[in-house]
Each structure stands twice: as C-alpha cells, then as structure tokens.
Amino acid sequence: MSSLFDLTGKVALVTGGAVGLGGGISLGLAKAGADVAIVTSNDRSREVQQQIEAMGRKVHTIVANLMDESALEGIVQETLSVFGKIDILVNNSGIVRRTPAADHAASDWHDVLNLNLNAAFFLSQLVGREMIKQGSGKIINIASMLSFQGGINVPGYTASKHAIAGVTKALANEWASKGVQVNAIAPGYMSTDNTVALRADEERSAQILVRIPAGRWGTAEDMEGPVVFLASKASDYMSGHILCVDGGWMTR
C-alpha cells in the first residue's frame, strides 16, 4: 500500500514553497521521495532547502516574481534544465488584501488576481504542455474556504479563489484523458502570515475557533498528507476535485 504514495523519482515544482503552507507542502513531497524546485519571491528558502537536502533529496530554489507573466516561462525552463522533467506542480503562492469592498483599491484587486489566479493559470498552461507530452502529471492548486463562501473584507481574494476552483475543474476536464490529473486543496483557517491579523483579533479568532470542530487553527504540517495523496498514484482516478483540509469547518 505504501507504494501508492511513493514519489521517489518524481520532480515537484512548488510556488511559494519556502515558508508557511508552501514550506509544509515542499517538505511533505520530499518526505515522500520527490525532488523539489521551490519558487520564491525573496529567497527565504534556506531552512526548507536544508531540511530537504538532509533527506537526501535534490532541491533547487528559483527566485522570481510570479506576477510578472514574462517570468513564468523562465521558471519552467530552469526547472526542466535542472531536473529534466516536471511531474508535479503545486500552485501555492497567494496574497490577501483586507479592505471593505466599498473601499477596495483597484491596485489591491489587480495584485491579488494577478498572483492568485493569473500566475496559477499561465504556469499550469506551461507545465501542462510538458505533462501532456510525457503522458502524465499532477497539478494541485491551492483553493480556499473562500472558494465556497463570500468572506468579509476580502472581495479580490474571494474572487480569485472561486476562480481557482473553476480553473481546476476546467483543466481537469481537458487533461484527464491525457494522463494529467488536476485537483485542488482548500485549506481552512491556517496559522500563516496571511492570518496574522485574524489571529491577533481575539474576538474574531474566537468566532472562528468555535466553528472548527477540530478546535484549532491548521498548520503547515496538516498539508503534507493531502498534497502527497493528490501527487501520488493513490489519486489517479481523481480529477477536478476540491479537497477541503479544514478541521471540519465546511461541515458546520
């Protein structure tokens, strides 16, 4: 049974894979046997890179601005140059801008959509072409509880995460027959840089926690198992699915 989840010999490309949930994703894939290319905007990958190397895996860091569409081709080509192939793509990078909708700046809207949606789609398009050529591949998008709900004061983020769910299904429909499975993980309320303000707000944090059946915020480690599952043979007949990793939030 363990061979179903074995990623030995696989190459994973993880955006935002140096810290937070992305760091947990990179480590989880490496623990399962994958070599990892990490895309980061500010070269904060040292700690995760050292942990992956200590496992005996190959790791390569690419510093790039994913909001610059012209940089995406270079990311793919650099990964192919270093590793020779890409078996797994995790579109994890994302930002949130918290402002009431009536006051939400156009620049905030465009920044969030450019990174959370546009970069994920165009990188999937580039990597998807390579996966189609090789007849296999796994693309895992990072969605959100706000792929299903409206949220408060985050109209751009909500729009981007609803769109990520839709793009996941659209690509899955086209590529499943070509050996490429496209799915998504929707994390619940996780302890990351994006939720610092929420966790610091005692009233709001208490409101969130009381609705989570697990009774706690999620962690980067909680992402390891789900991402390995969707990256492995174990999920070969899953396509276009949005997997909630939320401590039960969506069931309340």
Side-chain angles (χ1 to χ4, degrees):
M1 179 64 71
S2 61
S3 63
L4 281 175
F5 303 95
D6 185 8
L7 300 180
T8 301
K10 301 295 185 181
V11 174
L13 174 60
V14 183
T15 67
V19 295
L21 297 188
I25 287 168
S26 295
L27 290 171
L29 294 169
K31 288 176 184 177
D35 296 323
V36 185
I38 294 171
V39 181
T40 178
S41 61
N42 50 22
D43 197 20
R44 292 191 291 171
S45 64
R46 180 70 59 190
E47 183 178 348
V48 168
Q49 183 167 328
Q50 288 175 341
Q51 291 181 65
I52 293 175
E53 288 172 342
M55 299 177 202
R57 311 289 181 244
K58 188 173 182 180
V59 58
H60 179 72
T61 296
I62 302 170
V63 179
N65 177 10
L66 289 163
M67 285 195 277
D68 177 4
E69 188 180 325
S70 65
L72 302 181
E73 177 70 35
I75 291 168
V76 175
Q77 291 307 315
E78 185 170 341
T79 305
L80 291 173
S81 176
V82 172
F83 295 100
K85 61 175 182 171
I86 302 172
D87 300 296
I88 302 155
L89 169 65
V90 184
N91 286 306
N92 167 73
S93 284
I95 54 173
V96 60
R97 300 280 170 82
R98 299 183 186 279
T99 317
D103 304 314
H104 206 70
S107 59
D108 285 344
W109 174 272
H110 291 303
D111 283 350
V112 170
L113 269 292
N114 280 338
L115 181 58
N116 295 12
L117 175 62
N118 295 347
F121 172 72
F122 289 117
L123 195 56
S124 294
Q125 186 180 60
L126 291 166
V127 174
R129 290 171 185 158
E130 298 299 322
M131 290 178 170
I132 290 168
K133 288 178 191 175
Q134 68 191 24
S136 65
K138 304 278 189 173
I139 296 178
I140 304 165
N141 294 319
I142 301 303
S144 169
M145 294 297 94
L146 297 187
S147 295
F148 309 100
Q149 301 170 328
I152 299 170
N153 296 334
V154 286
Y157 186 84
T158 299
S160 73
K161 292 304 182 179
H162 270 67
I164 279 292
V167 165
T168 297
K169 296 169 186 177
L171 296 183
N173 286 345
E174 293 192 37
W175 294 349
S177 64
K178 304 178 189 302
V180 180
Q181 289 81 51
V182 186
N183 293 288
I185 296 174
Y189 282 91
M190 314 295 277
S191 181
T192 68
D193 290 348
N194 280 347
T195 60
V196 169
L198 280 179
R199 287 180 285 118
D201 183 334
E202 291 185 10
E203 181 180 357
R204 183 73 179 113
S205 180
Q207 291 171 346
I208 290 167
L209 282 172
V210 77
R211 185 179 158 170
I212 301 174
R216 66 174 177 84
W217 290 74
T219 67
E221 289 77 12
D222 290 319
M223 297 293 287
E224 293 185 12
V227 78
V228 169
F229 169 61
L230 290 180
S232 70
K233 291 180 182 179
S235 61
D236 276 355
Y237 200 56
M238 286 182 64
S239 190
H241 184 71
I242 315 297
L243 179 64
C244 294
V245 180
D246 63 352
W249 171 273
M250 288 296 292
T251 65
R252 289 291 292 269

